[in-house]
Amino acid sequence: MGLSMAVAEWWVERWERQQRRYAIDREERFTVIADVVEYVTAGQRRPLVVDLGCGPGSLAARLADRLPRAEVVGVDMDPLLLELARTHHSSAARYVDAVIGADGWTEAMALGRPLDAAVSTTALHYLPEPVLRRTYVQLAALLRPGGALVNGDHLPQPGAVAGALAAHVGRRRAERQRDGDHEDWASWWAAVASEPELAESLAERRRRLSAPVTGGDDGGADNGLSVSDHAALLRAAGFAHVVPVWQFGDSCVLVAIR
């Protein structure tokens, strides 16, 4: 059974609502990421942008709307979310099934030319530090000089006192922004299990999660790295400039210029 556009739209809209529980000022963060990509790709006839951990295409779709001449490649390891992206946001990007950080993942994208920008939201904090270190080196090699990695993620402040304060401020803002929809990550996935059109991709997702993954995902544990830790890894990987351009609580947009 194929996935219909109407069913894909329904589940993507529910995804968007539940994700707002976790990403503080999610829409503003998307907008800031697009602002940065627009800035670093100015003058490029057809910018090439990779969305790392693209999920159902939320950021890819927003980038395609902002930069209609850009070529966007979305990368994710989740077959169900990729099926939603390919059905609901089919024109926004070319979607690639690959594990970020695993052997051969950069070749799987089949880019053919240097990247102008790589973007990500709430994906890279799942990579274990050695994998993240290697991934940053690989991205630096893929980006053209002047290109950028733009990461919107949960990046805590260094130190217990500063980290706890920033996290508290972020949680309080998230509570004020709740729109009455109480669906969370767990309940969204529980509901998906009852959708016949997603049964096949859900079964494949479960099969992959039950098998060991080499390189990319350690099963969902946060790597615990602070924004300063990420900045240090990026500089060591060869990025010339690293700067946080937006932050609220521990929700941050960190930009690294090649």
Side-chain angles (χ1 to χ4, degrees), residues 128-159:
E129 183 175 353
V131 178
L132 184 64
R133 184 188 304 272
R134 182 172 68 247
T135 300
Y136 281 161
V137 171
Q138 292 168 326
L139 290 170
L142 292 173
L143 285 159
R144 63 165 172 81
L149 169 61
V150 192
N151 184 23
D153 210 338
H154 308 306
L155 304 178
Q157 290 296 315

Side-chain angles (χ1 to χ4, degrees), residues 35-50 67 70-71 111-118 136-150 237-241 255-258:
D35 288 342
V36 175
V37 174
E38 181 181 59
Y39 179 83
V40 300
T41 62
Q44 300 294 316
R45 186 182 63 84
R46 184 162 172 74
L48 179 58
V49 183
V50 163
L67 303 167
E71 176 186 353
L111 298 176
R113 58 190 174 104
L115 283 173
D116 294 291
Y136 281 161
V137 171
Q138 292 168 326
L139 290 170
L142 292 173
L143 285 159
R144 63 165 172 81
L149 169 61
V150 192
F239 287 90
H241 309 281
V255 179
I257 305 293
R258 173 74 168 83

